[in-house]
């Protein structure tokens, strides 16, 4: 004789109580994060510097005609690229302390001659020359020592 069981539509009150308690605990943690007004923690956050220490670099490409130039600027690892720029070309940028200055020059299919120079804080660091069709050259230098930097700008 088959038994037929009716579905139990009764709600287990213990499970509901546990779920409600867990929701309250999670909500309390979330609200604590939003409403945390601890003066000491706020003071620590305010004391954290947001400015990045930088140093000035001057890139210069000498020659005639045009070239593609890529260089390191204020973005650190991010390369800035200018294509088919008329020569001579010069740019002074602020590079984050710790990032090495670098400029790459690529001549077009018409070739020619172009020289890159690199100056860190006004001091000449390197010069290199590219020649011929699609000639390439790179000027790079070392970043100044962190102790040489007085303060973030």
């Amino acid at each position: 004789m088959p038994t037929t069981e009716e579905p139990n539509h009764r709600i287990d009150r213990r499970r509901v109580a546990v779920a409600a308690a867990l929701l309250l605990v999670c909500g309390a943690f979330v609200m604590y994060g939003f409403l945390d007004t601890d003066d000491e923690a706020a003071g620590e956050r305010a004391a954290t510097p947001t400015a990045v220490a930088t140093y000035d670099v001057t890139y210069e490409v000498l020659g005639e005609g045009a070239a593609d130039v890529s260089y390191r600027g204020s973005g650190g690892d991010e390369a800035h690229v200018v294509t088919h720029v008329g020569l001579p070309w010069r740019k002074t940028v602020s590079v984050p302390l710790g990032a090495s200055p670098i400029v790459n020059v690529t001549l077009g299919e018409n070739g020619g001659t172009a020289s890159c120079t690199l100056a860190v804080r006004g001091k000449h660091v390197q010069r290199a020359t590219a020649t011929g069709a699609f000639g390439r050259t790179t000027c790079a230098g070392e970043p100044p020592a962190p102790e040489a930097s007085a303060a973030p700008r």
Side-chain angles (χ1 to χ4, degrees):
M1 165 159 129
T3 60
T4 58
E5 290 185 29
E6 292 183 28
N8 187 359
H9 292 293
R10 290 181 26 184
I11 297 174
D12 186 1
R13 292 178 192 242
R14 286 180 294 185
R15 289 184 185 174
V16 170
V18 169
L22 286 174
L23 268 170
L24 284 172
V25 169
C26 289
F29 280 120
V30 169
M31 291 306 293
Y32 177 75
F34 283 123
L35 299 176
D36 183 21
T37 57
D38 183 22
D39 289 338
E40 183 178 322
E44 289 175 13
R45 285 189 294 267
T48 304
T50 56
V52 175
T54 61
Y55 61 100
D56 287 339
V57 176
T58 300
Y59 302 115
E60 190 169 19
V61 180
L62 303 173
E64 293 182 10
D68 294 341
V69 179
S70 65
Y71 60 95
R72 176 167 286 148
S74 60
D77 290 333
E78 178 183 324
H80 299 272
V81 179
V82 288
T83 57
H84 204 67
V85 65
L87 301 181
W89 175 87
R90 180 184 178 112
K91 180 87 173 179
T92 299
V93 297
S94 293
V95 175
L97 199 59
S100 298
I102 187 167
V103 61
N104 297 300
V105 179
T106 305
L107 297 170
E109 64 184 46
N110 294 334
T113 300
S115 297
C116 63
T117 62
L118 174 68
V120 175
R121 292 186 174 152
K123 182 180 177 189
H124 175 74
V125 175
Q126 186 180 24
R127 180 183 188 109
T129 302
T131 59
F134 302 106
R136 294 176 176 223
T137 191
T138 300
C139 289
E142 294 294 321
E147 59 272 3
S149 174
R153 291 195 241 178

